[in-house]
Amino acid sequence: MGGAQNTSKGGLRVPTSPAPPPEISKAVMGRPPPPHIYWGSRLSGRAALLGRRPAGRDQVGGVAEGEGGSAGQRRDSTARLLPGHPAMTEGVPSAGSALPTPAMFSLPLAALNVRVRRRLSLFLNVRAPVAADWTVLAEAMDFEYLEIQQLEKYADPTSRLLDDWQRRPGASVGRLLELLAKLGREDVLMELGPSIEEDCQKYILKQQQEASEKPLQVDSIDSSIPRINDMAGITIRDDPLGQKPEYFDAFICYCPSDIEFVHEMIRQLEQTNYRLKLCVSDRDVLPGTCVWSIASELIEKRCRRMVVVVSDEYLQSKECDFQTKFALSLSPGAHQKRLIPIKYKPMKKEFPSILRFITVCDYTNPCTQNWFWTRLAKALSMP
């Protein structure tokens, strides 16, 4: 049942393709099975008709895992797919050997330039019935089904796949070539092999050049006495030993003349069902440390967001100016939504130009005042 069947035709027994695997006939949780299942079933059917076994995930260049094939044999058999290409001797490519070499398994995907990645996308983005595409490669890279479904939303899924994979342990140029060989994409290896070797050679030479340019001695003398973290105890609930630092939902940037509105903010956001934790310098920060160092530590490492209370007095405060520019430097273009400006009273002066491109919470607008605290609390609660 489910295997290859023979039918009689004119006295001859003609093999037919096997029945599709159960994964194809059933949808997982109401969704269609991953694309690689369809590809694998079609390839198995063609191989059965031809009377030979398809190269699967357990085969590399004819050496099967579990059948005496070692990692070295897999790499050697993969290397034979690209005869005549230079190999790497002591980390630098040299003529007369093949890809991939052991040195390539230590090179990150960052060694491949944009041109090679684009050409790789041209090969793998195409959904072919008898050739492994990017979805099959993603499965070989141990991506989950839902992750593969998410990658399908991108115009160039192969490029996105490589970007995500290079942040995972074990990702390397050599491993990528090994997977392509395992999936039977010798056409990709033959076409892109010289370009990949060239990129790897340039990357290694660049690393060697940067290493040679580093000074043998630093121009500063350090003490042998163990250092104590000066930022271990800067707030009233900090652990003096630095084991459990205090964290906040938002750092409040304000000038002393706006303290009444800050009190209202505390009542609306901390003492209600929102249960947010705000960092207010006059209330939470211990005295005795440089204000610039404390602000930098809290904004960058202890607080997920920063609320800026904008007023005419705010424009005259050097401390507020430093805090705002420091927060913007951590998120250029406000891509991470770290900074939230608030306008709570009419201003005579012009609104700060560095904050014009960020959406403002306007408390002075009577039409939106009823939604003010809800919008602000929701923005501060976002991960």
Side-chain angles (χ1 to χ4, degrees), residues 80 123 129 225 227 233 272 343 351 357 359 367 375:
R80 288 194 293 271
F123 278 99
I225 301 176
R227 290 185 175 182
T272 59
K343 180 182 178 182
F351 197 80
F357 61 90
T359 306
C367 298
R375 294 176 62 222

Side-chain angles (χ1 to χ4, degrees), residues 182-249:
K182 178 184 290 188
L183 299 177
R185 293 309 302 260
E186 293 88 351
D187 56 331
V188 179
L189 298 175
M190 293 295 294
E191 182 69 22
L192 300 184
S195 299
I196 292 176
E197 280 201 45
E198 182 180 356
D199 287 349
C200 292
Q201 183 180 16
K202 290 180 180 179
Y203 181 84
I204 292 177
L205 293 178
K206 182 179 179 181
Q207 295 295 318
Q208 293 176 347
Q209 183 179 2
E210 291 178 354
S212 63
E213 292 176 354
K214 291 181 179 180
L216 298 178
Q217 297 179 350
V218 294
D219 54 358
S220 61
I221 301 176
D222 199 359
S223 174
S224 60
I225 301 176
R227 290 185 175 182
I228 299 176
N229 186 5
D230 295 334
M231 297 291 106
I234 59 176
T235 64
I236 57 176
R237 293 185 179 86
D238 263 351
D239 179 10
L241 300 179
Q243 300 297 326
K244 295 182 180 180
E246 187 176 13
Y247 293 96
F248 303 87
D249 293 304

Side-chain angles (χ1 to χ4, degrees), residues 2-4 8 17 29-30 33 57 70 86 95-96 107 126 131 155 192 194 209-210 212 237 258 311 358:
S8 298
S17 58
M29 299 297 292
R57 295 186 59 185
S70 62
L107 294 181
V126 179
L192 300 184
Q209 183 179 2
E210 291 178 354
S212 63
R237 293 185 179 86
D258 300 323
S311 63
I358 305 177

